Amino acid sequence: MADNISYNAPRGMRDFYPEEMAKRNYIFDAWRQAATEFGFQQYDACVVESLDLLKRKAGEEIVDQIYAFKDKSDRDLALRPEMTPTLARMIVNKQGSLSFPVKWFALAQCFRYERMTRGRKREHYQWNLDIIGEESVTAETEVIAAAVRGLELLGLSASEVKIHFSSRQLLGELLVALGIDEKFHQAAFLALDKRGKITDEQIAKLLLDEGVSEAGTEKVFGLLNIKSLDDAEKLLPDETAGLKNIKDFEELSKVYGLEDILEFDISVIRGLSYYTGIVFEGFDAAHGFRAIFGGGRYANLLNSIGGKPQTAVGLGFGDVVIAEILSDLGRFDEINMAAEYAVAYMNDEQKETAVKVAVKLRSKAKTVDLALNAEIPKKFFKRCEKENFKKAIFIGPDDVEKQTVRIKDLATREQQEVKIEDL
Amino acid sequence: MADNISYNAPRGMRDFYPEEMAKRNYIFDAWRQAATEFGFQQYDACVVESLDLLKRKAGEEIVDQIYAFKDKSDRDLALRPEMTPTLARMIVNKQGSLSFPVKWFALAQCFRYERMTRGRKREHYQWNLDIIGEESVTAETEVIAAAVRGLELLGLSASEVKIHFSSRQLLGELLVALGIDEKFHQAAFLALDKRGKITDEQIAKLLLDEGVSEAGTEKVFGLLNIKSLDDAEKLLPDETAGLKNIKDFEELSKVYGLEDILEFDISVIRGLSYYTGIVFEGFDAAHGFRAIFGGGRYANLLNSIGGKPQTAVGLGFGDVVIAEILSDLGRFDEINMAAEYAVAYMNDEQKETAVKVAVKLRSKAKTVDLALNAEIPKKFFKRCEKENFKKAIFIGPDDVEKQTVRIKDLATREQQEVKIEDL
């Protein structure tokens, strides 16, 4: 431990000193409030999950990034990279007794072993919103509207947010219309999702490697020219199920007041393999950060792990990008971590009175920082200013004698004398 | 996944379905409020810690129980078994810039690989309260008073709580007075701490194995006959530092109104090796569960990991025992997880209006459960009763036409008609 670096958190893991923790709480409080306003119920599960479940249900890219280990009974365990497989397991476990649809949310810590580029971390928290057991697009709109409300509570107005959406079902229908066999669709989705991260040549090579013909590969790229649902409709022989579904979604989202926020974008795919229908990504329109949240419809996850088939919609909203945005906007500056009252005393002779004052105020559920040792007034008031307390009580010999305190309002600098028994 | 058991959480890990999560939030909210009232600031750190730090600083018994693993760069990592070594690391890392004393709290998940007896879990959450950099017994009393306040907020009155306390420093002075060399003290502490868990014969053997003479071992056991500080004083040649310290603590605790709660108990040692002074354990006097919380003074932890010497007091308060107690008292029955409003509709023709009503209410920060599909009134009101909503709005064709809603108070069964625009 001589090396100074070892006092840091392990590589990629975060320490939350009080100032950072206050920011995290600021975000978590908004998430919890938005979810609660929308009637979602909170759940959680231990961050340690069975490796088997995660391997089966996560996207391939993620499997390489799982923190896996064995326990002392040689059980294969892992730190979950995402919450959805755990949610699916919990739902299947009580599928017979839960009343569907269920609307659940979680504030889940997730781990990914990624190469450490540009300050990316290996763990983060994710707000998860899921509706299980609802076919209609009300599920998509409720989840998205709740996320938008979360942003609003964090001070990002709806006008600052853009949500790009598409549909894997529609994309599949378009691929079929272009004559691309269904067995290639999953590969096409995952390849297209990599756009921007790798070159188009690399994407084309991925598709060719999967067995898509050169002509087919060109057609896949051609789909990216679709700019609207009307464009898509022209390529389809008739109104397909996927097209109708995404139109319904667009229609209902207007009733939710989301029309200015939503934007059809054929290139939205999402990286996880279990999505089957509408998919979406939320952005901070004004600032150009990475996606704030993403999600979509997953119809087959429950049966794919052995449960009864039930469709679901989920959304994941991480704490890292939003914290960057809020920090940029100076939103964290308004956080005040200080107690309401600071109580201090001149000498040990006043300590008993100071403790009594603190006990009295706390018994009224006031937040009170009690000086642990005698302090001169100058130092005390300097500390009050630095730490941003609202009211200061400094107890000197006179106060003990008179059994009164002088409560100083640190904003107005007004002072009020109150009997201790009347506090 | 054919085997049903695999839908459960991994062995020893907990799932929190919404009902369990509501209990956890009930406890966490009380902890957070009590800590905040007492001016503690929240911090956190990732549950993944460097194995090296934990091995050096944890009690021996704990080291055997650490969940350890290697990451892909062959780094030795672990899931922390307790928060204190992490806290010490974080403090040392900023020892030059923090203003001491600091008062910090955490709601930390901790892992121990224990044999699974009587439903014991392998992970739990612990409320940690620590004051670093304060020599006086104000640190002990503040920490204990905050914990008692936490219990009070959970509905356990001070009269239902007992806190047993002792002092390792005093115990050391007593051992010296009995002629037992300091090199045996740590072994004596850890052996005595096992009382009740293993037989006295086994404890005696532990001491003999460490090199304590047979006569010395008898003397160690003799200490357990000490019933009061007066008893202890009689065995000491003069007023030692440890005796004075524990008397000061007793004195100050009266000012905090804790005198009826505190009880001197020489047998309180605590299992962790880093304690050096006053140690304590809190119990639910009425119900006879295991200790609710425990803690004490640790003067040497920071310098032992290479930091500047600073004394500290800490307290750990787990979520498992207190949940058993609260469950026993029926305290969880009062938790209501339901949204304030339930909104539903008869047919799809009323869906738009229902969504508008929900959007309107939510824009006023009301919590609203919106039915995701059309529902007949009978089913809706049955569901309202089951889920315990406060107010129900069922939208039929008339409401759409009149643009009004009927808000039914589900407790009084009174109904009020309101224009949607006035909501």
Side-chain angles (χ1 to χ4, degrees):
Chain A
M1 303 292 295
D3 188 359
N4 206 35
I5 202 82
S6 59
Y7 299 122
N8 292 321
R11 197 169 164 82
M13 310 299 171
R14 292 179 296 175
D15 283 341
F16 290 87
Y17 283 86
E19 215 169 294
E20 292 305 309
M21 190 67 200
K23 295 176 191 170
R24 191 175 113 189
N25 279 337
Y26 180 84
I27 295 171
F28 279 26
D29 288 349
W31 285 348
R32 195 178 293 120
Q33 189 185 325
T36 305
E37 282 177 16
F38 276 72
F40 287 79
Q41 295 191 322
Q42 193 171 4
Y43 74 102
D44 198 8
C46 184
V47 70
V48 173
E49 192 47 271
S50 100
L51 181 62
D52 184 48
L53 175 75
L54 297 175
K55 274 193 164 166
R56 279 159 188 255
K57 295 332 309 166
E60 263 181 63
E61 204 171 89
I62 289 181
V63 169
D64 289 339
Q65 299 175 345
I66 292 178
Y67 273 91
F69 60 98
K70 283 181 189 288
D71 75 3
K72 290 175 196 200
S73 307
D74 224 34
R75 235 174 242 112
D76 279 308
L77 299 174
L79 303 179
R80 66 173 169 241
E82 50 159 341
M83 195 63 174
T84 310
T86 298
L87 171 69
R89 169 181 71 64
M90 287 175 69
I91 293 287
V92 170
N93 206 17
K94 306 241 178 192
Q95 218 167 4
S97 59
L98 290 167
S99 304
F100 293 96
V102 304
K103 293 167 67 178
W104 282 6
F105 80 100
L107 305 174
Q109 195 183 15
C110 300
F111 287 82
R112 288 194 194 179
Y113 192 91
E114 296 187 283
R115 234 176 304 153
M116 297 283 296
T117 50
R118 294 175 302 145
R120 279 195 105 165
K121 293 294 173 183
R122 287 175 176 164
E123 50 90 12
H124 72 293
Y125 284 89
Q126 207 177 65
W127 183 28
N128 275 251
L129 291 164
D130 288 87
I131 297 181
I132 294 117
E134 176 54 37
E135 299 265 0
S136 80
V137 290
T138 322
E140 279 89 346
T141 40
E142 276 279 298
V143 157
I144 290 173
V148 171
R149 175 66 179 148
L151 286 169
E152 210 174 272
L153 288 169
L154 290 168
L156 280 171
S157 72
S159 67
E160 293 176 277
V161 180
K162 272 276 167 261
I163 299 169
H164 291 195
F165 69 97
S166 181
S167 161
R168 285 205 186 175
Q169 190 182 5
L170 175 67
L171 200 58
E173 289 161 356
L174 289 165
L175 289 169
V176 166
L178 293 172
I180 299 185
D181 198 282
E182 281 199 26
K183 70 177 173 193
F184 299 123
H185 289 192
Q186 193 69 14
F189 295 158
L190 294 180
L192 287 177
D193 179 60
K194 293 209 170 67
R195 258 195 122 207
K197 294 173 209 155
I198 61 176
T199 65
D200 283 4
E201 289 70 37
Q202 287 170 312
I203 291 172
K205 189 170 177 307
L206 280 177
L207 289 168
L208 293 169
D209 288 352
E210 289 286 339
V212 182
S213 69
E214 212 155 314
T217 299
E218 260 175 54
K219 284 178 187 164
V220 169
F221 275 104
L223 287 179
L224 297 171
N225 295 322
I226 293 173
K227 296 295 173 212
S228 67
L229 285 179
D230 286 345
D231 286 356
E233 195 158 8
K234 282 173 205 150
L235 291 173
L236 293 169
D238 48 23
E239 185 172 82
T240 55
L243 182 67
K244 178 169 186 321
N245 181 254
I246 202 168
K247 280 176 163 180
D248 285 350
F249 168 70
E250 228 186 4
E251 206 50 50
L252 185 62
S253 66
K254 286 178 195 159
V255 186
Y256 274 84
L258 296 169
E259 68 270 44
D260 294 334
I261 302 176
L262 284 163
E263 193 173 303
F264 175 70
D265 177 355
I266 192 83
S267 75
V268 173
I269 316 263
R270 304 295 301 154
L272 298 165
S273 57
Y274 47 67
Y275 289 121
T276 54
I278 289 171
V279 282
F280 49 83
E281 276 173 1
F283 298 90
D284 166 31
H287 296 79
F289 288 90
R290 282 175 290 147
I292 301 177
F293 60 78
R297 168 79 59 174
Y298 51 98
N300 303 322
L301 186 55
L302 299 195
N303 47 307
S304 80
I305 64 167
K308 279 182 286 186
Q310 274 191 303
T311 185
V313 172
L315 177 147
F317 185 143
D319 70 335
V320 176
V321 174
I322 189 67
E324 286 170 10
I325 294 169
L326 295 175
S327 174
D328 229 51
L329 292 171
R331 202 78 68 201
F332 291 136
D333 301 344
E334 46 188 72
I335 297 174
N336 187 353
M337 299 153 55
E340 185 179 359
Y341 288 86
V343 176
Y345 54 100
M346 183 86 91
N347 302 307
D348 275 350
E349 286 79 55
Q350 293 96 45
K351 179 169 185 171
E352 188 173 323
T353 303
V355 170
K356 275 185 186 159
V357 167
V359 169
K360 193 93 195 254
L361 288 169
R362 286 166 177 165
S363 77
K364 304 272 158 72
K366 303 288 185 192
T367 61
V368 180
D369 183 84
L370 170 65
L372 299 173
N373 246 319
E375 205 171 9
I376 59 166
K378 196 180 157 189
K379 206 182 147 200
F380 170 62
F381 284 104
K382 212 170 156 184
R383 184 163 66 85
C384 285
E385 205 164 305
K386 191 182 153 209
E387 295 192 25
N388 219 6
F389 299 110
K390 285 198 190 66
K391 292 166 188 162
I393 297 176
F394 188 85
I395 293 168
D398 285 0
D399 299 300
V400 177
E401 203 176 312
K402 288 158 62 188
Q403 284 294 298
T404 56
V405 291
R406 290 154 295 143
I407 305 174
K408 186 167 181 177
D409 185 308
L410 292 163
T412 63
R413 295 180 172 269
E414 275 166 32
Q415 197 163 278
Q416 192 194 355
E417 193 163 313
V418 182
K419 282 189 184 161
I420 291 175
E421 61 181 39
D422 295 338
L423 272 175
Chain B
M1 303 291 296
D3 188 358
N4 207 35
I5 202 83
S6 59
Y7 299 122
N8 291 323
R11 197 170 164 80
M13 310 300 170
R14 292 180 295 174
D15 282 341
F16 290 87
Y17 283 86
E19 215 168 296
E20 292 305 310
M21 190 67 199
K23 295 176 192 170
R24 190 175 112 187
N25 279 337
Y26 180 83
I27 294 171
F28 278 27
D29 287 350
W31 284 348
R32 197 179 291 118
Q33 188 184 326
T36 306
E37 282 177 16
F38 275 72
F40 287 80
Q41 296 191 322
Q42 194 172 2
Y43 73 102
D44 197 8
C46 184
V47 70
V48 173
E49 191 47 89
S50 100
L51 181 61
D52 184 50
L53 175 76
L54 297 174
K55 274 192 164 167
R56 278 160 188 255
K57 294 334 309 166
E60 263 181 63
E61 204 170 90
I62 290 181
V63 169
D64 289 339
Q65 300 175 344
I66 292 179
Y67 273 91
F69 59 97
K70 281 180 189 288
D71 75 4
K72 290 175 196 198
S73 308
D74 226 34
R75 235 174 241 110
D76 280 308
L77 298 174
L79 304 179
R80 64 173 170 240
E82 51 158 340
M83 195 62 173
T84 310
T86 298
L87 171 69
R89 170 180 71 64
M90 287 174 69
I91 294 286
V92 170
N93 205 17
K94 305 240 178 193
Q95 218 166 5
S97 60
L98 290 167
S99 304
F100 293 97
V102 304
K103 293 167 66 178
W104 282 7
F105 80 99
L107 306 174
Q109 195 183 16
C110 300
F111 286 82
R112 289 194 195 180
Y113 192 90
E114 295 188 283
R115 235 176 303 154
M116 298 283 296
T117 50
R118 294 174 304 144
R120 279 196 106 167
K121 294 294 173 183
R122 287 175 176 164
E123 50 90 11
H124 73 293
Y125 285 88
Q126 209 179 65
W127 183 29
N128 275 250
L129 292 164
D130 288 86
I131 297 181
I132 295 117
E134 177 53 38
E135 299 264 1
S136 80
V137 291
T138 322
E140 278 88 346
T141 40
E142 276 279 298
V143 157
I144 290 174
V148 170
R149 175 66 180 150
L151 287 169
E152 208 175 273
L153 288 169
L154 290 167
L156 280 171
S157 71
S159 66
E160 293 176 274
V161 181
K162 272 275 167 264
I163 300 168
H164 291 195
F165 69 97
S166 181
S167 161
R168 286 206 185 173
Q169 189 183 6
L170 174 67
L171 201 58
E173 289 162 355
L174 289 164
L175 288 169
V176 167
L178 293 171
I180 298 183
D181 198 284
E182 281 198 25
K183 69 179 174 190
F184 298 124
H185 289 191
Q186 192 68 13
F189 294 158
L190 294 180
L192 286 178
D193 180 60
K194 294 208 169 67
R195 258 197 121 205
K197 294 172 209 157
I198 60 176
T199 65
D200 283 4
E201 289 70 37
Q202 287 169 309
I203 291 173
K205 190 172 176 307
L206 280 178
L207 289 169
L208 293 168
D209 288 352
E210 289 286 339
V212 183
S213 68
E214 212 156 314
T217 300
E218 261 175 54
K219 285 178 187 166
V220 169
F221 275 103
L223 287 180
L224 297 171
N225 296 322
I226 293 174
K227 296 294 174 213
S228 67
L229 286 179
D230 286 345
D231 285 357
E233 195 159 7
K234 280 172 205 151
L235 290 174
L236 294 169
D238 47 23
E239 186 173 80
T240 54
L243 183 67
K244 179 169 188 319
N245 180 253
I246 202 168
K247 281 177 162 180
D248 284 351
F249 168 70
E250 228 186 5
E251 205 51 49
L252 185 61
S253 65
K254 287 178 195 160
V255 186
Y256 273 85
L258 295 169
E259 67 270 42
D260 294 334
I261 302 177
L262 285 164
E263 193 172 303
F264 175 70
D265 177 355
I266 193 83
S267 75
V268 173
I269 315 264
R270 305 295 301 152
L272 297 166
S273 57
Y274 47 67
Y275 289 121
T276 53
I278 289 171
V279 283
F280 50 84
E281 275 174 2
F283 297 90
D284 166 31
H287 296 79
F289 288 90
R290 281 174 291 146
I292 301 177
F293 61 79
R297 167 78 60 172
Y298 51 98
N300 303 322
L301 186 55
L302 299 195
N303 47 307
S304 81
I305 64 167
K308 277 181 286 183
Q310 275 189 301
T311 185
V313 172
L315 178 146
F317 184 143
D319 69 336
V320 176
V321 173
I322 188 68
E324 286 170 10
I325 293 169
L326 295 175
S327 173
D328 228 53
L329 291 171
R331 201 78 69 198
F332 291 135
D333 302 344
E334 45 187 74
I335 296 174
N336 187 353
M337 297 154 56
E340 184 178 0
Y341 288 86
V343 177
Y345 55 99
M346 182 86 92
N347 302 306
D348 276 350
E349 286 78 55
Q350 293 96 45
K351 180 169 182 169
E352 188 173 322
T353 303
V355 170
K356 275 186 187 159
V357 167
V359 169
K360 193 93 195 253
L361 288 169
R362 286 167 177 165
S363 77
K364 303 273 158 72
K366 304 289 185 193
T367 63
V368 181
D369 183 83
L370 170 66
L372 297 173
N373 247 317
E375 205 170 10
I376 59 167
K378 197 180 155 188
K379 206 182 146 201
F380 170 61
F381 285 105
K382 213 171 154 183
R383 184 163 64 84
C384 284
E385 206 164 305
K386 191 184 153 210
E387 294 191 25
N388 220 5
F389 299 109
K390 286 197 189 67
K391 292 167 188 162
I393 297 176
F394 188 84
I395 293 167
D398 286 359
D399 299 300
V400 176
E401 204 176 311
K402 289 159 59 187
Q403 286 293 298
T404 56
V405 291
R406 292 154 294 142
I407 304 173
K408 186 167 182 178
D409 185 309
L410 292 162
T412 64
R413 294 177 173 271
E414 275 166 32
Q415 197 164 279
Q416 192 195 355
E417 193 164 311
V418 182
K419 283 190 183 161
I420 291 176
E421 60 181 39
D422 295 339
L423 274 175

